[in-house]
Amino acid sequence: MILDFNRLIRYLAYTLELLVLFMIQETPGLLPEVFGTRPVLVLPAGLTMAMFEEETPAMAFGIAAGLLCDFGYSGVLGFHGLLLGVLCFFLSLLVRTYLQVSWLTALLAGILAIGLLIGGQWLCFYFFRYSMPGYALRHHYLPKYLYTLLFVPLLYLLNKGLADTLQGQDKQNF
């Protein structure tokens, strides 16, 4: 088996990116709060990584990003990991077979996938447990969703640069 050094470096860069973004999102006061919420940076990072990788590595990075979300929220361990792993797997499969990789595709995928994740979080963690779920949706979850969406194009450009610079051997030959 031939060792693909560029792929190894790219995976290491993705891992470091997830860790740095997790530290940025969890540091109080580093990013300004909008309506009392901070963005979840590892969600768009995991989704945009999935657009440039095959299904299995995309799922692995989705699980890693989701578990970092679970650690940050200190909620049910595995909730975001499971959902983001499945979403990243299908996003990678969809992009590889039917769609082109572009910033518009990343934005549309981000709108749908981050909406599903934050909506699922609201439904499972708030709607069934507390009163006034509409208030929490409007004043906490919706601003978090919109604030997180702002980072999708930036993280798309970062991950596109990493994927283009550190192409694997199978893409360099063509």
Side-chain angles (χ1 to χ4, degrees):
M1 180 173 165
I2 298 173
L3 178 65
D4 189 359
F5 190 67
N6 283 343
R7 181 179 293 175
L8 183 68
I9 296 296
R10 189 174 65 236
Y11 290 170
L12 180 64
Y14 286 155
T15 304
L16 290 175
E17 176 187 346
L18 283 176
L19 290 174
V20 167
L21 289 173
F22 177 71
M23 288 188 289
I24 289 172
Q25 85 180 18
E26 292 299 318
T27 303
L30 192 58
L31 291 173
E33 290 186 3
V34 174
F35 295 109
T37 62
R38 292 181 294 180
V40 186
L41 299 176
V42 294
L43 293 181
L47 291 170
T48 56
M49 286 174 196
M51 294 181 70
F52 299 106
E53 296 300 326
E54 295 176 358
E55 293 85 9
T56 304
M59 182 178 61
F61 285 116
I63 290 171
L67 287 176
L68 286 174
C69 284
D70 289 333
F71 291 141
Y73 290 138
S74 67
V76 177
L77 187 62
F79 177 79
H80 293 95
L82 176 68
L83 287 179
L84 197 56
V86 169
L87 284 173
C88 286
F89 178 85
F90 285 113
L91 178 62
S92 175
L93 184 66
L94 189 66
V95 166
R96 288 186 151 306
T97 54
Y98 296 113
L99 301 174
Q100 291 182 346
V101 177
S102 70
W103 68 272
L104 183 61
T105 305
L107 190 61
L108 292 175
I111 288 170
L112 182 65
I114 294 171
L116 286 173
L117 285 166
I118 291 180
Q121 180 186 14
W122 170 75
L123 188 68
C124 292
F125 295 146
Y126 199 89
F127 185 77
F128 294 122
R129 294 174 124 180
Y130 301 104
S131 63
M132 296 177 43
Y135 179 82
L137 179 67
R138 284 188 309 273
H139 294 285
H140 180 69
Y141 289 97
L142 191 59
K144 182 192 301 185
Y145 169 68
L146 295 173
Y147 198 11
T148 302
L149 275 180
L150 291 176
F151 291 93
V152 171
L154 178 68
L155 292 171
Y156 168 77
L157 291 174
L158 175 69
N159 289 326
K160 180 175 175 35
L162 284 173
D164 288 345
T165 303
L166 297 169
Q167 292 179 351
Q169 288 178 353
D170 54 343
K171 293 181 182 177
Q172 287 177 352
N173 293 334
F174 293 105

PDB file of all heavy atoms in Angstrom, residues 51-68:
ATOM      1  N   MET A  51     -17.662  17.962   1.988  1.00  0.00           N
ATOM      2  CA  MET A  51     -17.821  18.218   0.560  1.00  0.00           C
ATOM      3  C   MET A  51     -16.565  17.855  -0.240  1.00  0.00           C
ATOM      4  O   MET A  51     -16.660  17.588  -1.430  1.00  0.00           O
ATOM      5  CB  MET A  51     -18.165  19.688   0.333  1.00  0.00           C
ATOM      6  CG  MET A  51     -19.513  20.072   0.879  1.00  0.00           C
ATOM      7  SD  MET A  51     -19.899  21.779   0.573  1.00  0.00           S
ATOM      8  CE  MET A  51     -20.130  21.731  -1.191  1.00  0.00           C
ATOM      9  N   PHE A  52     -15.418  17.835   0.413  1.00  0.00           N
ATOM     10  CA  PHE A  52     -14.163  17.602  -0.291  1.00  0.00           C
ATOM     11  C   PHE A  52     -13.586  16.209  -0.045  1.00  0.00           C
ATOM     12  O   PHE A  52     -12.539  15.887  -0.590  1.00  0.00           O
ATOM     13  CB  PHE A  52     -13.137  18.662   0.123  1.00  0.00           C
ATOM     14  CG  PHE A  52     -13.568  20.049  -0.208  1.00  0.00           C
ATOM     15  CD1 PHE A  52     -13.995  20.912   0.776  1.00  0.00           C
ATOM     16  CD2 PHE A  52     -13.586  20.487  -1.522  1.00  0.00           C
ATOM     17  CE1 PHE A  52     -14.411  22.192   0.476  1.00  0.00           C
ATOM     18  CE2 PHE A  52     -14.006  21.763  -1.835  1.00  0.00           C
ATOM     19  CZ  PHE A  52     -14.412  22.617  -0.829  1.00  0.00           C
ATOM     20  N   GLU A  53     -14.229  15.403   0.757  1.00  0.00           N
ATOM     21  CA  GLU A  53     -13.705  14.081   1.102  1.00  0.00           C
ATOM     22  C   GLU A  53     -14.656  12.983   0.664  1.00  0.00           C
ATOM     23  O   GLU A  53     -15.820  13.233   0.374  1.00  0.00           O
ATOM     24  CB  GLU A  53     -13.472  13.991   2.618  1.00  0.00           C
ATOM     25  CG  GLU A  53     -12.435  14.941   3.138  1.00  0.00           C
ATOM     26  CD  GLU A  53     -11.062  14.739   2.526  1.00  0.00           C
ATOM     27  OE1 GLU A  53     -10.697  13.583   2.224  1.00  0.00           O
ATOM     28  OE2 GLU A  53     -10.360  15.730   2.329  1.00  0.00           O
ATOM     29  N   GLU A  54     -14.133  11.766   0.656  1.00  0.00           N
ATOM     30  CA  GLU A  54     -14.971  10.603   0.378  1.00  0.00           C
ATOM     31  C   GLU A  54     -15.891  10.350   1.570  1.00  0.00           C
ATOM     32  O   GLU A  54     -15.758  10.974   2.615  1.00  0.00           O
ATOM     33  CB  GLU A  54     -14.085   9.395   0.102  1.00  0.00           C
ATOM     34  CG  GLU A  54     -13.255   9.540  -1.150  1.00  0.00           C
ATOM     35  CD  GLU A  54     -12.311   8.377  -1.366  1.00  0.00           C
ATOM     36  OE1 GLU A  54     -12.277   7.461  -0.519  1.00  0.00           O
ATOM     37  OE2 GLU A  54     -11.614   8.391  -2.378  1.00  0.00           O
ATOM     38  N   GLU A  55     -16.801   9.411   1.417  1.00  0.00           N
ATOM     39  CA  GLU A  55     -17.857   9.221   2.396  1.00  0.00           C
ATOM     40  C   GLU A  55     -17.343   8.836   3.787  1.00  0.00           C
ATOM     41  O   GLU A  55     -17.779   9.403   4.793  1.00  0.00           O
ATOM     42  CB  GLU A  55     -18.856   8.156   1.913  1.00  0.00           C
ATOM     43  CG  GLU A  55     -19.663   8.558   0.707  1.00  0.00           C
ATOM     44  CD  GLU A  55     -18.952   8.283  -0.610  1.00  0.00           C
ATOM     45  OE1 GLU A  55     -17.894   7.619  -0.587  1.00  0.00           O
ATOM     46  OE2 GLU A  55     -19.441   8.744  -1.644  1.00  0.00           O
ATOM     47  N   THR A  56     -16.433   7.881   3.858  1.00  0.00           N
ATOM     48  CA  THR A  56     -15.969   7.410   5.167  1.00  0.00           C
ATOM     49  C   THR A  56     -15.183   8.477   5.932  1.00  0.00           C
ATOM     50  O   THR A  56     -15.475   8.711   7.109  1.00  0.00           O
ATOM     51  CB  THR A  56     -15.150   6.118   5.012  1.00  0.00           C
ATOM     52  OG1 THR A  56     -15.950   5.145   4.318  1.00  0.00           O
ATOM     53  CG2 THR A  56     -14.748   5.567   6.363  1.00  0.00           C
ATOM     54  N   PRO A  57     -14.187   9.145   5.324  1.00  0.00           N
ATOM     55  CA  PRO A  57     -13.530  10.224   6.068  1.00  0.00           C
ATOM     56  C   PRO A  57     -14.478  11.379   6.390  1.00  0.00           C
ATOM     57  O   PRO A  57     -14.365  12.004   7.447  1.00  0.00           O
ATOM     58  CB  PRO A  57     -12.410  10.698   5.141  1.00  0.00           C
ATOM     59  CG  PRO A  57     -12.201   9.615   4.174  1.00  0.00           C
ATOM     60  CD  PRO A  57     -13.499   8.893   4.064  1.00  0.00           C
ATOM     61  N   ALA A  58     -15.426  11.658   5.502  1.00  0.00           N
ATOM     62  CA  ALA A  58     -16.400  12.721   5.765  1.00  0.00           C
ATOM     63  C   ALA A  58     -17.231  12.376   6.992  1.00  0.00           C
ATOM     64  O   ALA A  58     -17.481  13.237   7.849  1.00  0.00           O
ATOM     65  CB  ALA A  58     -17.300  12.924   4.554  1.00  0.00           C
ATOM     66  N   MET A  59     -17.646  11.117   7.092  1.00  0.00           N
ATOM     67  CA  MET A  59     -18.413  10.687   8.251  1.00  0.00           C
ATOM     68  C   MET A  59     -17.565  10.761   9.521  1.00  0.00           C
ATOM     69  O   MET A  59     -18.049  11.193  10.572  1.00  0.00           O
ATOM     70  CB  MET A  59     -18.927   9.264   8.050  1.00  0.00           C
ATOM     71  CG  MET A  59     -19.767   8.757   9.190  1.00  0.00           C
ATOM     72  SD  MET A  59     -20.419   7.103   8.925  1.00  0.00           S
ATOM     73  CE  MET A  59     -18.941   6.146   8.780  1.00  0.00           C
ATOM     74  N   ALA A  60     -16.295  10.392   9.425  1.00  0.00           N
ATOM     75  CA  ALA A  60     -15.414  10.443  10.594  1.00  0.00           C
ATOM     76  C   ALA A  60     -15.226  11.875  11.081  1.00  0.00           C
ATOM     77  O   ALA A  60     -15.288  12.146  12.287  1.00  0.00           O
ATOM     78  CB  ALA A  60     -14.064   9.810  10.257  1.00  0.00           C
ATOM     79  N   PHE A  61     -15.009  12.817  10.158  1.00  0.00           N
ATOM     80  CA  PHE A  61     -14.871  14.209  10.561  1.00  0.00           C
ATOM     81  C   PHE A  61     -16.193  14.776  11.062  1.00  0.00           C
ATOM     82  O   PHE A  61     -16.214  15.626  11.949  1.00  0.00           O
ATOM     83  CB  PHE A  61     -14.305  15.057   9.427  1.00  0.00           C
ATOM     84  CG  PHE A  61     -12.840  14.846   9.224  1.00  0.00           C
ATOM     85  CD1 PHE A  61     -12.366  14.299   8.047  1.00  0.00           C
ATOM     86  CD2 PHE A  61     -11.931  15.171  10.212  1.00  0.00           C
ATOM     87  CE1 PHE A  61     -11.017  14.089   7.854  1.00  0.00           C
ATOM     88  CE2 PHE A  61     -10.578  14.970  10.038  1.00  0.00           C
ATOM     89  CZ  PHE A  61     -10.114  14.426   8.858  1.00  0.00           C
ATOM     90  N   GLY A  62     -17.307  14.309  10.517  1.00  0.00           N
ATOM     91  CA  GLY A  62     -18.611  14.725  11.026  1.00  0.00           C
ATOM     92  C   GLY A  62     -18.844  14.238  12.444  1.00  0.00           C
ATOM     93  O   GLY A  62     -19.345  14.981  13.298  1.00  0.00           O
ATOM     94  N   ILE A  63     -18.458  12.995  12.714  1.00  0.00           N
ATOM     95  CA  ILE A  63     -18.589  12.465  14.079  1.00  0.00           C
ATOM     96  C   ILE A  63     -17.691  13.235  15.032  1.00  0.00           C
ATOM     97  O   ILE A  63     -18.101  13.586  16.146  1.00  0.00           O
ATOM     98  CB  ILE A  63     -18.273  10.954  14.097  1.00  0.00           C
ATOM     99  CG1 ILE A  63     -19.391  10.182  13.392  1.00  0.00           C
ATOM    100  CG2 ILE A  63     -18.092  10.445  15.523  1.00  0.00           C
ATOM    101  CD1 ILE A  63     -19.076   8.716  13.160  1.00  0.00           C
ATOM    102  N   ALA A  64     -16.455  13.527  14.605  1.00  0.00           N
ATOM    103  CA  ALA A  64     -15.532  14.284  15.461  1.00  0.00           C
ATOM    104  C   ALA A  64     -16.074  15.678  15.756  1.00  0.00           C
ATOM    105  O   ALA A  64     -16.050  16.137  16.905  1.00  0.00           O
ATOM    106  CB  ALA A  64     -14.156  14.370  14.796  1.00  0.00           C
ATOM    107  N   ALA A  65     -16.580  16.360  14.733  1.00  0.00           N
ATOM    108  CA  ALA A  65     -17.150  17.693  14.943  1.00  0.00           C
ATOM    109  C   ALA A  65     -18.378  17.622  15.837  1.00  0.00           C
ATOM    110  O   ALA A  65     -18.581  18.465  16.719  1.00  0.00           O
ATOM    111  CB  ALA A  65     -17.502  18.330  13.602  1.00  0.00           C
ATOM    112  N   GLY A  66     -19.206  16.612  15.641  1.00  0.00           N
ATOM    113  CA  GLY A  66     -20.393  16.453  16.475  1.00  0.00           C
ATOM    114  C   GLY A  66     -20.053  16.145  17.924  1.00  0.00           C
ATOM    115  O   GLY A  66     -20.700  16.650  18.844  1.00  0.00           O
ATOM    116  N   LEU A  67     -19.038  15.324  18.144  1.00  0.00           N
ATOM    117  CA  LEU A  67     -18.634  15.034  19.517  1.00  0.00           C
ATOM    118  C   LEU A  67     -18.049  16.261  20.193  1.00  0.00           C
ATOM    119  O   LEU A  67     -18.234  16.463  21.396  1.00  0.00           O
ATOM    120  CB  LEU A  67     -17.636  13.872  19.549  1.00  0.00           C
ATOM    121  CG  LEU A  67     -18.241  12.496  19.267  1.00  0.00           C
ATOM    122  CD1 LEU A  67     -17.150  11.435  19.222  1.00  0.00           C
ATOM    123  CD2 LEU A  67     -19.285  12.138  20.304  1.00  0.00           C
ATOM    124  N   LEU A  68     -17.347  17.104  19.441  1.00  0.00           N
ATOM    125  CA  LEU A  68     -16.874  18.359  20.015  1.00  0.00           C
ATOM    126  C   LEU A  68     -18.059  19.246  20.406  1.00  0.00           C
ATOM    127  O   LEU A  68     -18.017  19.915  21.443  1.00  0.00           O
ATOM    128  CB  LEU A  68     -15.956  19.085  19.034  1.00  0.00           C
ATOM    129  CG  LEU A  68     -14.559  18.486  18.872  1.00  0.00           C
ATOM    130  CD1 LEU A  68     -13.799  19.198  17.766  1.00  0.00           C
ATOM    131  CD2 LEU A  68     -13.787  18.528  20.170  1.00  0.00           C
TER     132      LEU A  68
END
